[in-house]
Amino acid sequence: MAKKSLDPEAKREQTLTILTPIVSVILALIIGAIIIAALGKNPIQGYGAMLAGSLGGPSKIASTLERACPLIFTGLCAVFAYKCGVFNLGGEGQFIMGACACAYTMFGLHLQGPLGPLIGLIAGIIVGGIWGLLPGILKITRGLNEMITTIMFNYIAQYFMEFVYKNVFSDNGLPKTVAVPKSARLPEIAGTHIGVLLAILLSFFLWYVIFRTSFGFKIRAVGMNSVASKVAGYPVRKLMLLAFIISGAIAGMGGSIELMGKAPYRLAEGFGSGFGFDGVAIALIAQLNPVAALVVAILFGILSTGGTMMQSVIGVPTAIVEIIRGLIIIFAIAGMAAIKMPKIKAFFESKFQGKSRKKDAAPSDGSAKKTEVTA
């Protein structure tokens, strides 16, 4: 079956959509280089050290992927919810509750061996989905803004986790839980825990579900226009609730994997901190594409892992990495907003039309010259 070709306007929009995050990364790196140079250091040497520290060997690549793993899950959590038009800012709370459910299951039932990770993972997915469902119910039944309620649920999750690691499963009175037993930790593959592979597979699976299935079409339709979807007969409220549940389940799965797969294998202060809002930024930079979210999360992992090496080699603070990451977010979101503006759209339209006219004119000029020579 022949592939349906895009019209010129759709091609132009697709090109700009792809170029915006790429240009954002380049601009952020250029400004980061200027800041490093202003500090009297060599930016080329610094970026070289960053790449060496994050991608300079199998063990460093494994470490980068482990850093990116929780960001992949929270990024996918935001992508799926936003595709359905619901703004889930509770990825961090759902991530934490998934980890707490995993801890309760493993420590409470004293699970050992291969059964431990499996049951812990299922518990994290279920509780993460429930934690996502609660603000969804409040939105559907009471009309409460999900951005506010999901942020409030984040705080509840943080305080609940504090109760767990300080009181329920405290390690000899210390503010941290006991460590996950070695036999119940996630198995390793290629130097990193298997959760990284699960995150990568989930990215491609969600891409397929969103863009290649009728269920994904309904999710996207509700996200684009819920009123039109309701008129078309789609169960809008049910689809929104499902989006909340699936989104929360993805984040909960990430929390349980982070607990069972990455050292120190325990809940403590700061666990999951910042992952939720980083996930929102990743989803926006990736233009709500699950596979692109995977790439952006790995880029953030490279910046996080390589920043330490850059600091030790050229002596700049790791805050430079945070500046670069913040600039990527600002440029990407500003770029997305800019290309929607009428004047900028008209500018790019004139540029694209000018190129197409030149291409159309080139063969006719050539044929005219051939006619003259023949004559």
Side-chain angles (χ1 to χ4, degrees), residues 117-188:
L118 180 61
I119 295 177
L121 194 63
I122 292 170
I125 292 170
I126 291 171
V127 173
I130 293 170
W131 207 248
L133 172 66
L134 296 176
I137 292 172
L138 292 174
K139 177 181 175 64
I140 298 301
T141 59
R142 309 299 300 172
L144 298 181
N145 188 305
E146 71 272 22
M147 289 189 284
I148 296 171
T149 54
T150 49
I151 290 173
M152 291 171 66
F153 273 89
N154 285 345
Y155 286 106
I156 296 170
Q158 287 173 2
Y159 289 124
F160 179 75
M161 179 179 69
E162 186 176 342
F163 169 73
V164 171
Y165 70 70
K166 282 186 177 179
N167 299 282
V168 184
F169 299 113
S170 174
D171 187 4
N172 297 318
L174 298 172
K176 58 182 179 179
T177 63
V178 294
V180 174
K182 285 186 179 180
S183 63
R185 293 173 188 174
L186 291 179
E188 289 193 359

Side-chain angles (χ1 to χ4, degrees), residues 297-317:
I298 292 173
L299 172 64
F300 276 31
I302 290 170
L303 291 173
S304 298
T305 310
T308 307
M309 178 67 80
M310 185 169 70
Q311 181 186 33
S312 62
V313 171
I314 65 171
V316 294

Side-chain angles (χ1 to χ4, degrees), residues 25-59:
V25 172
I26 293 170
L27 286 174
L29 290 173
I30 290 170
I31 294 176
I34 293 169
I35 295 171
I36 293 169
L39 294 172
K41 308 296 180 180
N42 187 337
I44 296 174
Q45 187 183 3
Y47 285 150
M50 178 187 288
L51 290 175
S54 56
L55 303 173
S59 62

Side-chain angles (χ1 to χ4, degrees), residues 256-275:
S256 59
I257 284 174
E258 184 75 359
L259 176 65
M260 297 184 294
K262 189 178 175 184
Y265 306 102
R266 62 180 85 216
L267 295 178
E269 186 177 358
F271 180 91
S273 179
F275 289 156

Side-chain angles (χ1 to χ4, degrees), residues 202-214 216-217 290-291:
L202 182 63
S203 301
F204 287 97
F205 175 72
L206 284 180
W207 178 89
Y208 179 80
V209 169
I210 291 170
F211 295 106
R212 290 293 184 270
T213 66
S214 59
F217 177 80
V291 176

Side-chain angles (χ1 to χ4, degrees), residues 69-347:
C69 186
L71 299 178
I72 296 171
F73 282 106
T74 53
L76 294 176
C77 160
V79 165
F80 197 88
Y82 289 11
K83 270 295 178 187
C84 195
V86 294
F87 300 98
N88 182 9
L89 299 181
E92 185 172 313
Q94 292 143 21
F95 184 92
I96 288 170
M97 289 304 292
C100 289
C102 180
Y104 256 99
T105 305
M106 299 193 75
F107 302 147
L109 300 177
H110 306 286
L111 296 175
Q112 299 281 343
L115 195 63
L118 180 61
I119 295 177
L121 194 63
I122 292 170
I125 292 170
I126 291 171
V127 173
I130 293 170
W131 207 248
L133 172 66
L134 296 176
I137 292 172
L138 292 174
K139 177 181 175 64
I140 298 301
T141 59
R142 309 299 300 172
L144 298 181
N145 188 305
E146 71 272 22
M147 289 189 284
I148 296 171
T149 54
T150 49
I151 290 173
M152 291 171 66
F153 273 89
N154 285 345
Y155 286 106
I156 296 170
Q158 287 173 2
Y159 289 124
F160 179 75
M161 179 179 69
E162 186 176 342
F163 169 73
V164 171
Y165 70 70
K166 282 186 177 179
N167 299 282
V168 184
F169 299 113
S170 174
D171 187 4
N172 297 318
L174 298 172
K176 58 182 179 179
T177 63
V178 294
V180 174
K182 285 186 179 180
S183 63
R185 293 173 188 174
L186 291 179
E188 289 193 359
I189 180 170
T192 184
H193 62 76
I194 201 171
V196 172
L197 179 61
L198 292 176
I200 294 169
L201 292 175
L202 182 63
S203 301
F204 287 97
F205 175 72
L206 284 180
W207 178 89
Y208 179 80
V209 169
I210 291 170
F211 295 106
R212 290 293 184 270
T213 66
S214 59
F215 173 70
F217 177 80
K218 290 175 184 177
I219 289 288
R220 287 185 287 126
V222 172
M224 286 187 281
N225 193 322
S226 60
V227 176
S229 299
K230 191 172 184 179
V231 171
Y234 293 163
V236 173
R237 289 154 66 96
K238 287 182 181 177
L239 288 169
M240 283 184 173
L241 277 178
L242 269 175
F244 272 112
I245 293 168
I246 294 170
S247 175
I250 292 167
M253 181 181 180
S256 59
I257 284 174
E258 184 75 359
L259 176 65
M260 297 184 294
K262 189 178 175 184
Y265 306 102
R266 62 180 85 216
L267 295 178
E269 186 177 358
F271 180 91
S273 179
F275 289 156
F277 290 106
D278 282 349
V280 171
I282 286 166
L284 294 175
I285 294 168
Q287 312 277 326
L288 304 185
N289 184 304
V291 176
L294 167 67
V295 175
V296 177
I298 292 173
L299 172 64
F300 276 31
I302 290 170
L303 291 173
S304 298
T305 310
T308 307
M309 178 67 80
M310 185 169 70
Q311 181 186 33
S312 62
V313 171
I314 65 171
V316 294
T318 53
I320 296 292
V321 172
E322 297 302 321
I323 292 171
I324 293 170
R325 191 157 62 170
L327 288 171
I328 292 171
I329 296 167
I330 291 168
F331 287 142
I333 295 173
M336 282 189 294
I339 61 176
K340 302 286 184 186
M341 294 174 67
K343 288 185 179 179
I344 293 176
K345 283 181 80 173
F347 170 78

